[in-house]
C-alpha cells in the first residue's frame, strides 16, 4: 500500500523530528562540515553525531563524502522541498475539510433557527440535521455521550 | 531551508456560528460522520467513538466512497479538553527508530463576537517536532488524498 514516495517522506519527517538533527541541518545550510565541526555546538559524543548523520543521510537530507577521515556532510535541498510540499497538502486537506464544516454549520444554524428555541437542550441541533452527504448510518449506537465535562 | 521545512503548521478559519456549535461539531459523533473528511470520503457513523474528556477516545475512520477498502483511521486520546474552548488529541505509537512517538492535534475555539468563531488548528503544541508526528499520523489519509488530487 505504501509507495516509495511515502517511505521516503516518512524517512524525511522522521529525520526532521529530532532537534539535534535539525540543528545539524541548519549548520549545513552555511556549507559542508566534518563530524567534528558538527559536534562542536552539542554536548554529545562523536558517535552520537554520526548516528544522527546516518539518519539524515538515509533520508536523503544530506550527502557525505567518501573519505573516511575527513568525511564532510552536505545539505541536500530536494527532500526538504518534498517535506514542505507534503505540509502544503496537509493544509489543502484541512481547507477542504473546513469547507465542509462551514457548510455543515450553516445547516445546523438554519435548522436551529427553523425549530423552536431549545437553549436548555444538552445536544441542540444534533438529531435534526440532515447529512449533507450520505454516510452509512446503520449502527447508530447511542451509548457514547457526545459531550462531557473534562 | 530547514526552518521552512519544519515550520509549525497552523490553520485558521472563522465560522459564522457560535463556538458552542463549532465545538460540538468536533465532539458529536453524528456530526463528525456528517462533515469530516474531504469530498469523496465518508466517516461511517459506527466508526466514531468520541469521549470528550481527558483520557477519552477520539476515534473514527475515513472511508473512501469509491473503494471502501481504503480506510484511514484516527485513533487518539484527548489530552486536554476545555468545553467549548479547546480540544487536544494525541495519538501515540511505537516507532522502531524513534521509540514512542506522539502526534498531537490542537483545536482552539475562539469567540469572535457576533456569533462567530475562529478555529485555530495547530499540529501539536510543541513546534516542529510535531511535523513528523503529523506526517506519520496522517500518512494514510494523504496517500489517498494524493490519489484524489491527482485524479
Amino acid at each position: 500500500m505504501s509507495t516509495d514516495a511515502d517511505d521516503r517522506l516518512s524517512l524525511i519527517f522522521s529525520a526532521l523530528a529530532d532537534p539535534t538533527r535539525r540543528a545539524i541541518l541548519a549548520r549545513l545550510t552555511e556549507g559542508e562540515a566534518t563530524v567534528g565541526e558538527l559536534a562542536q555546538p552539542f554536548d554529545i559524543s562523536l558517535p552520537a553525531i554520526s548516528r544522527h548523520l546516518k539518519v539524515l543521510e538515509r533520508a536523503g537530507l544530506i550527502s557525505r563524502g567518501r573519505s573516511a577521515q575527513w568525511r564532510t556532510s552536505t545539505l541536500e535541498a530536494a527532500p526538504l522541498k518534498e517535506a514542505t510540499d507534503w505540509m502544503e497538502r496537509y493544509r489543502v486537506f484541512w481547507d477542504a475539510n473546513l469547507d465542509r464544516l462551514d457548510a455543515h454549520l450553516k445547516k445546523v444554524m438554519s435548522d436551529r433557527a427553523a425549530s423552536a428555541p431549545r437553549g436548555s437542550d444538552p445536544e441542540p441541533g444534533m438529531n435534526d440535521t440532515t447529512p449533507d452527504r450520505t454516510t452509512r448510518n446503520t449502527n447508530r449506537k447511542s451509548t457514547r455521550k457526545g459531550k462531557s465535562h473534562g | 531551508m530547514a526552518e521552512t521545512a519544519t515550520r509549525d503548521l497552523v490553520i485558521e478559519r472563522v465560522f459564522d456560528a457560535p463556538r458552542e456549535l463549532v465545538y460540538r461539531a468536533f465532539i458529536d459523533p453524528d456530526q463528525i460522520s456528517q462533515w469530516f473528511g474531504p469530498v469523496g470520503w465518508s466517516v461511517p457513523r459506527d466508526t466514531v467513538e468520541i469521549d470528550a474528556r481527558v483520557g477519552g477516545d477520539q476515534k473514527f475512520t475515513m472511508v473512501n466512497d469509491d473503494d471502501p477498502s481504503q480506510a484511514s483511521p484516527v485513533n487518539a486520546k484527548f489530552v486536554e479538553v476545555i468545553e467549548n474552548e479547546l480540544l487536544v488529541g494525541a495519538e501515540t505509537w511505537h516507532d522502531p527508530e524513534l521509540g514512542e512517538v506522539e502526534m498531537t492535534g490542537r483545536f482552539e475555539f475562539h469567540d469572535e463576537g457576533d456569533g462567530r468563531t475562529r478555529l485555530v488548528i495547530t499540529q501539536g503544541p510543541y513546534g516542529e517536532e510535531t511535523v513528523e508526528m503529523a506526517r506519520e499520523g496522517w500518512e494514510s489519509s494523504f496517500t489517498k488524498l494524493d490519489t484524489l488530487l491527482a485524479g
Side-chain angles (χ1 to χ4, degrees):
Chain A
M1 207 191 86
S2 97
T3 66
D4 287 350
D6 286 332
D7 293 342
R8 194 167 60 246
L9 267 173
S10 288
L11 287 175
I12 293 167
F13 277 100
S14 297
L16 291 173
D18 182 89
T20 302
R21 289 196 287 273
R22 286 199 303 275
I24 290 172
L25 288 176
R27 163 65 186 82
L28 290 175
T29 60
E30 297 162 15
E32 61 176 26
T34 63
V35 176
E37 288 166 339
L38 290 172
Q40 256 172 21
F42 302 107
D43 190 21
I44 53 178
S45 66
L46 287 181
I49 290 289
S50 289
R51 278 196 295 276
H52 282 306
L53 291 176
K54 215 165 279 177
V55 173
L56 290 170
E57 187 177 33
R58 199 163 58 104
L61 288 163
I62 64 167
S63 57
R64 294 203 284 171
R66 284 266 160 244
S67 155
Q69 205 158 15
W70 296 109
R71 204 169 181 195
T72 57
S73 299
T74 310
L75 188 72
E76 295 291 334
L80 283 173
K81 173 78 164 60
E82 259 183 89
T84 50
D85 285 353
W86 180 84
M87 287 181 66
E88 190 49 38
R89 279 199 289 280
Y90 184 89
R91 191 175 296 282
V92 169
F93 167 81
W94 269 108
D95 276 346
N97 225 8
L98 295 183
D99 285 346
R100 295 199 58 206
L101 176 57
D102 195 36
H104 172 76
L105 287 170
K106 284 194 169 83
K107 198 175 305 253
V108 171
M109 292 288 280
S110 67
D111 286 353
R112 274 186 122 207
S115 63
R118 306 185 312 171
S120 59
D121 188 330
E123 313 271 30
M126 207 131 291
N127 304 312
D128 51 358
T129 52
T130 310
D132 56 356
R133 189 159 54 100
T134 308
T135 51
R136 277 138 266 178
N137 285 339
T138 46
N139 187 9
R140 243 180 130 82
K141 285 181 279 186
S142 54
T143 49
R144 291 254 166 203
K145 291 177 92 174
K147 167 183 182 257
S148 66
H149 290 276
Chain B
M1 189 69 83
E3 289 80 355
T4 308
T6 57
R7 191 174 47 204
D8 227 4
L9 199 71
V10 180
I11 293 157
E12 286 195 34
R13 181 79 71 100
V14 174
F15 294 99
D16 207 5
R19 68 174 177 174
E20 294 79 16
L21 282 194
V22 183
Y23 177 84
R24 208 178 298 276
F26 279 85
I27 62 163
D28 173 37
D30 287 334
Q31 292 196 61
I32 284 177
S33 75
Q34 286 165 25
W35 73 265
F36 199 96
V39 172
W41 292 81
S42 301
V43 174
R45 172 61 184 82
D46 59 2
T47 68
V48 188
E49 291 184 37
I50 303 282
D51 183 7
R53 55 185 165 182
V54 173
D57 283 325
Q58 185 190 31
K59 292 185 183 176
F60 53 89
T61 302
M62 284 199 295
V63 178
N64 186 283
D65 292 338
D66 296 329
D67 178 5
S69 71
Q70 293 191 35
S72 194
V74 171
N75 188 359
K77 296 263 187 215
F78 288 109
V79 293
E80 278 186 75
V81 175
I82 303 174
E83 193 180 14
N84 298 332
E85 292 180 24
L86 178 68
L87 288 170
V88 183
E91 196 163 356
T92 309
W93 66 98
H94 187 82
D95 182 287
E97 286 282 324
L98 303 163
E100 290 293 309
V101 177
E102 189 181 75
M103 181 198 86
T104 310
R106 181 184 181 89
F107 299 82
E108 297 168 28
F109 304 84
H110 298 276
D111 189 350
E112 291 290 282
D114 297 329
R116 296 186 318 147
T117 305
R118 184 163 48 93
L119 173 67
V120 181
I121 303 173
T122 311
Q123 205 50 38
Y126 304 117
E128 46 272 70
E129 269 76 359
T130 55
V131 171
E132 189 274 336
M133 299 158 191
R135 168 61 196 158
E136 297 286 345
W138 291 90
E139 181 171 357
S140 51
S141 317
F142 288 112
T143 305
K144 286 138 197 167
L145 185 60
D146 283 347
T147 316
L148 198 71
L149 293 173

